[in-house]
Amino acid sequence: MQRLKAEEHAYLSGSVLKTLAQNRITTILEFLQEDVGKLSTLSKLTLPQVLDIRNAILNKYAAPLIKLGSLKLDTLDKRKCLNTGILSLDTATGGGIPIGYITELCGLADSGKTQLCLQLAINSVKNSESSVLYIDTKGDFSAVRVQKILDACGYSHKEMALIMIKIKIVHVWTMEELLDFLKKLKNQTVYIENLVLVIIDSLPSLMFQYLGDDNKVGLSLLNTFVNYARYLGKHFNLAFICVNIQTRWVDQENADLEDDGEQATSYMKETHYKEKRNRCLGKYWQTIPMMVLFIDKQERNSNDGSSHICLNINLINNSQLSDRSSNACNVTLNNFGVT
């Protein structure tokens, strides 16, 4: 095994290497396998600095990556995607939700994120032996809503029961509880038969308490979650959907307007408002999801004068393996769910 040397990164000073060696961390492999929080505590480096060292080592020694942008979209066949059961969304995503990766579902409050999650859970288990793990962090999972969707689609009570029993609900209230449960899934002390999809609704609900955390505890927990999710996705062929919240900010800008008159010149102010929307969970999270689905709920009028709710979904492939590309589709929200 190759020894950890100062040449690997500027942060690996002599004192840092000595401290790590005293704690039996002398090789590159031992450094990469150690918990980042422990490394930060031992070396007195900040968590971002430790992560920067890890990334530099991985970039240097990892196998070369193939850009997905150079591959045809056809290579993402059905075996690598989980079909959503919504035709327009499957078309926009090139086959469905990527298996083995994290997909983010993002939107403003009351934009239809949970409604789409419920529909994806239903579509993933109906007419199949598959099961879905729905991790509810807000306590608002609605079995009644699921039942109403199935009833509107004409399912019998027996068929409803068979579908709903394959949607496994778990309630967690802290990041520690979530990580503990994912660890049990990894170690298979908790086993869910024919699991294909994990939905976490929502991740910011568990992270809000760490906003402005100077000790970077929240960043460490989020990084651990990402590692678990990626491991489970790759080793158990799971698709991960994480619901994120979008915040809206309106900035006021004043522009000077000149009033030309015969006697004098005066200046007036014209106010402009610019809307900005941001994804929660911070800068670290921004490039983590393989795919980001931005949801915007709109009310539209039909030709007969009636109105219906439409969800506009803008899709961004935000992977480090591919160039940024986008697509979009529209779906309808009604008594039959999201179609």
Side-chain angles (χ1 to χ4, degrees):
M1 292 184 289
Q2 188 163 345
R3 294 187 65 83
L4 190 65
K5 299 179 181 179
E7 290 79 6
E8 304 298 344
H9 201 281
Y11 292 141
L12 291 173
S13 62
S15 59
V16 170
L17 290 172
K18 181 179 180 181
T19 302
L20 294 176
Q22 290 172 346
N23 289 272
R24 299 182 179 180
I25 303 173
T26 58
T27 67
I28 290 177
L29 181 60
E30 289 169 344
F31 182 85
L32 294 176
Q33 290 178 335
E34 189 57 76
D35 179 72
V36 292
K38 182 178 178 181
L39 290 173
S40 177
T41 302
L42 293 174
S43 64
K44 307 302 180 183
L45 296 173
T46 65
L47 200 56
Q49 288 175 328
V50 174
L51 293 173
D52 193 28
I53 297 173
R54 285 170 57 90
N55 290 335
I57 292 175
L58 290 172
N59 289 334
K60 182 177 180 180
Y61 293 101
L65 300 175
I66 300 175
K67 286 190 175 183
L68 289 182
S70 64
L71 301 178
K72 292 183 179 180
L73 190 60
D74 295 340
T75 58
L76 293 175
D77 56 24
K78 292 183 179 179
R79 291 173 298 174
K80 296 185 179 180
C81 294
L82 179 64
N83 191 282
T84 67
I86 304 171
L87 181 59
S88 59
L89 184 56
D90 284 334
T91 301
T93 57
I97 305 300
I99 293 174
Y101 298 93
I102 296 173
T103 295
E104 177 184 331
L105 212 58
C106 188
L108 298 172
D110 194 34
S111 60
K113 300 184 296 295
T114 296
Q115 295 291 334
L116 182 55
C117 284
L118 295 178
Q119 191 65 57
L120 294 176
I122 292 172
N123 293 352
S124 297
V125 301
K126 71 178 184 180
N127 305 322
S128 74
E129 297 300 320
S130 302
S131 59
V132 170
L133 172 61
Y134 199 112
I135 300 178
D136 180 15
T137 68
K138 303 176 295 180
D140 61 356
F141 176 86
S142 177
V144 174
R145 173 60 178 159
V146 174
Q147 185 177 3
K148 287 182 177 180
I149 292 173
L150 295 175
D151 184 53
C153 293
Y155 287 93
S156 66
H157 289 290
K158 181 179 180 180
E159 290 170 331
M160 290 184 201
L162 291 175
I163 290 174
M164 295 180 70
I165 201 171
K166 289 184 286 188
I167 303 176
K168 313 297 183 181
I169 313 301
V170 174
H171 297 283
V172 299
W173 311 111
T174 66
M175 279 297 292
E176 289 80 4
E177 289 181 11
L178 175 61
L179 297 180
D180 183 63
F181 186 81
L182 294 180
K183 183 178 180 180
K184 291 177 180 178
L185 281 179
K186 176 184 176 182
N187 298 333
Q188 299 190 54
T189 53
V190 172
Y191 176 73
I192 300 176
E193 189 175 5
N194 299 322
L195 182 62
V196 295
L197 174 63
V198 177
I199 299 174
I200 301 175
D201 184 15
S202 70
L203 202 51
S205 299
L206 305 179
M207 290 295 299
F208 278 140
Q209 61 179 307
Y210 300 107
L211 292 178
D213 176 20
D214 294 332
N215 295 323
K216 307 299 181 183
V217 175
L219 179 59
S220 177
L221 293 173
L222 190 59
N223 181 64
T224 304
F225 163 76
V226 170
N227 290 335
Y228 274 133
R230 286 176 171 171
Y231 178 91
L232 292 169
K234 294 292 186 181
H235 286 76
F236 297 102
N237 294 320
L238 304 179
F240 262 81
I241 294 180
C242 296
V243 175
N244 195 4
I245 296 174
Q246 197 174 30
T247 58
R248 176 164 53 193
W249 302 85
V250 178
D251 290 343
Q252 179 177 321
E253 298 177 349
N254 293 323
D256 290 334
L257 295 178
E258 184 174 337
D259 182 19
D260 295 328
E262 295 182 358
Q263 302 295 331
T265 300
S266 61
Y267 289 90
M268 297 181 296
K269 297 283 186 179
E270 181 180 6
T271 303
H272 296 274
Y273 296 95
K274 185 177 181 181
E275 180 183 280
K276 294 182 180 179
R277 295 191 181 189
N278 299 316
R279 294 157 58 201
C280 290
L281 298 178
K283 292 182 179 179
Y284 166 75
W285 176 262
Q286 300 305 301
T287 56
I288 293 298
M290 170 74 168
M291 182 185 296
V292 183
L293 305 178
F294 291 97
I295 303 178
D296 188 24
K297 185 162 68 174
Q298 301 172 346
E299 187 171 345
R300 296 186 178 179
N301 296 321
S302 303
N303 294 331
D304 58 3
S306 62
S307 62
H308 64 276
I309 297 176
C310 177
L311 302 183
N312 179 260
I313 302 177
N314 286 288
L315 178 151
I316 293 179
N317 288 319
N318 194 22
S319 171
Q320 294 176 342
L321 306 182
S322 64
D323 297 327
R324 244 178 135 83
S325 59
S326 62
N327 209 339
C329 69
N330 291 312
V331 296
T332 301
L333 177 60
N334 52 34
N335 292 336
F336 298 96
V338 179
T339 58

